[in-house]
Amino acid sequence: MDVADLGLPVDVPSTALFTDHYELTMLQAALKAGTADRRSVFEVFTRRLPEGRRYGVVAGTGRVLDAVENFRFDADVLGFLREHDVVNEETLEWLGAYRFSGDVWGYPEGEVYFPGSPIMRVEGSFAECVLLETVILSILNHDSAIAAAASRMASAAGDRPLIEMGARRTHELAAVAASRAAYVGGFASTSDLAAGFRYGIPTVGTSAHAFTLLHDNERDAFQAQVDSLGRNTTLLVDTYDVTEAVRTAVEVAGPELGAVRIDSGDLLLVAHRVRQQLDELGAVTTKIVVTSDLDEYAIASLAAAPVDAYGVGTQLVTGSGHPTCSMVYKLVARAESADPKAPLVPVAKKSSGGKTSIGGRKWAARRLDGDGFAEAEVIGTGPVPPELADRQLLVELVKGGEVVAREPLDVVRDRHAVARANLPLSATQLSRGEAVIPTEYVQLRSGS
């Protein structure tokens, strides 16, 4: 896969440096101690959802698979590590041959998750698994936060389409990832062409206030846009006076005008006035698109307004107040020795500071109620209860170092819509609350 497909600058040869310094120093020490080859199991989970959120959304899995494939220590990367004396020569030699050869299991991308859900499990030697911690967390924490915000916005919008417009409000590479995550969460399109190019997301856009201000008057600007883009275009009507702009827009484009966009003011009031004016002018099929610092609460407040689509930027790409999911990547089991046949033993951090973990290689299943809606997230070790055997959530993503579960983004997007629809109705409430279903632990043993 080309580096450009990862959303990376062309001069970045791999994802190997998307990691923390201490991952490599741990590797060096483990190699010296003879423990680096111990079979190990790491799990990604979060101890709690962001405050007030009812569910989380797994997003970024596809990007994780790309990152694992491109985690290579080439000559330039090794040269950097050597120059800065990050690790010794023996470790550099080991890194030069690095290829992840283990297994990865995880919740399918687009699925929902809850506190404690083992949304990704990475298995292999300690050495090869520990190196992936930072890049996996970086991707999943960011993308899942954006997807969760997008999902809430999509719930609030109902059948009205959402446009992702946040590229100018975040880092240029984060913007591409955010567009992808927003699409998973239910957005219909993006303004970011890089996201369209890399991921096939539909792109949209017409003009900004600068285009209107470029011309001697608003009529000339509208005429130029219609002449170029056709009558079905979207005209921005709040540069000067909205009422006058709507009248001019219909005069220029006729009743076939595609849409008008409102980007300021009391959107609820202005949308009603614009709809009435458009209807009186005969432009009954002309749609109304609203933008201007929207979030899920603002979108919900416009549910009764004659709005046809929403454009969302800042609040989306910042996770609507929760830009991360606080996911962690923890060692939960490791072999008693480097012998490939050595049994796994559960391990876990024990802390009085609220960061305790539960050891053991876990499975997860979602129990349904009599009506087919989610009732509980069930997590355990050991045998899976027969009644949950067909409700297991983890699927194989990487087997023996080879990716086995790539899928089209539209499949992921559809999966999320189904997963959200299968949650209790209270999941879509925007009021603050606890996770919409409880997490239940069974057959678990604490780590040593």
Side-chain angles (χ1 to χ4, degrees):
M1 174 170 290
D2 192 273
V3 169
D5 293 334
L6 301 177
L8 302 173
V10 294
D11 59 343
V12 175
S14 78
T15 55
L17 291 183
F18 289 169
T19 192
D20 287 308
H21 186 118
Y22 80 165
E23 309 290 10
L24 300 190
T25 53
M26 280 194 288
L27 167 66
Q28 177 176 307
L31 289 170
K32 182 175 179 61
T35 53
D37 289 333
R38 285 190 176 185
R39 189 160 54 99
S40 299
V41 180
F42 287 82
E43 289 177 351
V44 177
F45 63 93
T46 184
R47 296 182 176 92
R48 63 190 65 84
L49 296 176
E51 184 180 357
R53 295 289 170 88
R54 305 298 183 93
Y55 62 93
V57 181
V58 179
T61 306
R63 297 206 309 119
V64 167
L65 298 180
D66 291 342
V68 170
E69 277 195 335
N70 286 272
F71 205 89
R72 302 285 188 269
F73 292 84
D74 60 23
D76 289 340
V77 171
L78 294 172
F80 167 80
L81 297 175
R82 180 177 291 108
E83 178 184 355
H84 293 274
D85 197 26
V86 175
V87 289
N88 59 26
E89 284 297 324
E90 292 79 7
T91 306
L92 289 174
E93 182 178 355
W94 189 95
L95 291 172
Y98 178 84
R99 299 291 186 273
F100 180 72
S101 63
D103 302 329
V104 179
W105 291 72
Y107 279 36
E109 189 168 15
E111 183 58 83
V112 296
Y113 71 88
F114 299 92
S117 297
I119 68 169
M120 186 168 287
R121 187 173 70 224
V122 182
E123 304 183 36
S125 71
F126 175 85
E128 62 181 340
C129 294
V130 75
L131 294 181
L132 299 176
E133 174 181 4
T134 302
V135 70
I136 288 177
L137 288 179
S138 177
I139 293 170
L140 293 181
N141 268 311
H142 174 268
D143 290 23
S144 296
I146 306 304
S151 179
R152 285 163 58 87
M153 293 173 187
S155 292
D159 294 332
R160 298 171 178 177
L162 291 155
I163 308 164
E164 186 279 311
M165 304 172 67
R168 63 192 60 194
R169 303 300 187 195
T170 188
H171 186 281
E172 68 273 17
L173 301 184
V176 180
S179 294
R180 184 186 183 280
Y183 192 68
V184 170
F187 274 57
S189 57
T190 179
S191 65
D192 193 305
L193 289 175
F197 174 74
R198 292 192 175 108
Y199 299 119
I201 302 170
T203 61
V204 296
T206 51
S207 66
H209 294 292
F211 185 77
T212 300
L213 296 171
L214 169 68
H215 294 80
D216 294 337
N217 55 64
E218 202 164 42
R219 179 178 295 273
D220 288 350
F222 289 172
Q223 189 66 62
Q225 185 173 327
V226 170
D227 288 347
S228 175
L229 301 178
R231 297 178 185 274
N232 196 44
T233 191
T234 299
L235 296 176
L236 182 58
V237 295
D238 71 330
T239 305
Y240 304 117
D241 178 79
V242 173
T243 301
E244 182 61 31
V246 171
R247 182 181 300 110
T248 301
V250 176
E251 288 176 358
V252 170
E256 299 86 6
L257 173 63
V260 296
R261 178 162 73 95
I262 306 166
D263 189 48
S264 59
D266 183 335
L267 297 178
L268 178 63
L269 176 62
V270 175
H272 277 288
R273 289 178 174 173
V274 168
R275 182 73 270 161
Q276 180 179 355
Q277 185 182 9
L278 287 170
D279 292 346
E280 291 172 350
L281 294 170
V284 295
T285 62
T286 300
K287 298 184 183 300
I288 297 175
V289 180
V290 296
T291 53
S292 185
D293 289 329
L294 297 176
D295 60 11
E296 59 264 49
Y297 302 102
I299 292 168
S301 74
L302 294 168
V307 171
D308 298 287
Y310 306 92
V312 189
T314 303
Q315 291 300 318
L316 176 66
V317 299
T318 56
S320 193
H322 296 290
T324 182
C325 302
S326 300
M327 293 177 184
V328 294
Y329 183 98
K330 296 297 182 183
L331 180 66
V332 297
R334 51 88 174 164
E336 293 179 340
S337 70
D339 185 341
K341 297 181 180 180
L344 288 173
V345 293
V347 296
K349 176 181 178 180
K350 292 183 177 181
S351 170
S352 60
K355 290 187 176 182
T356 57
S357 301
I358 299 173
R361 184 180 187 271
K362 302 173 193 69
W363 51 261
R366 190 161 299 145
R367 191 172 70 238
L368 306 182
D369 64 17
D371 296 318
F373 290 98
E375 182 178 70
E377 193 88 337
V378 186
I379 299 169
T381 59
V384 180
E387 66 273 17
L388 295 175
D390 62 348
R391 300 301 308 166
Q392 293 189 71
L393 291 162
L394 280 82
V395 299
E396 196 167 31
L397 302 173
V398 177
K399 183 176 183 179
E402 299 295 326
V403 174
V404 296
R406 276 206 178 83
E407 52 191 357
L409 199 55
D410 281 330
V411 171
V412 174
R413 186 172 186 266
D414 292 344
R415 176 183 294 122
H416 175 63
V418 172
R420 187 177 62 203
N422 286 338
L423 294 176
L425 186 60
S426 56
T428 61
Q429 292 178 345
L430 296 181
S431 57
R432 293 184 178 275
E434 300 299 320
V436 70
I437 61 173
T439 301
E440 299 178 1
Y441 296 96
V442 299
Q443 300 174 318
L444 289 176
R445 297 167 293 175
S446 60
S448 58

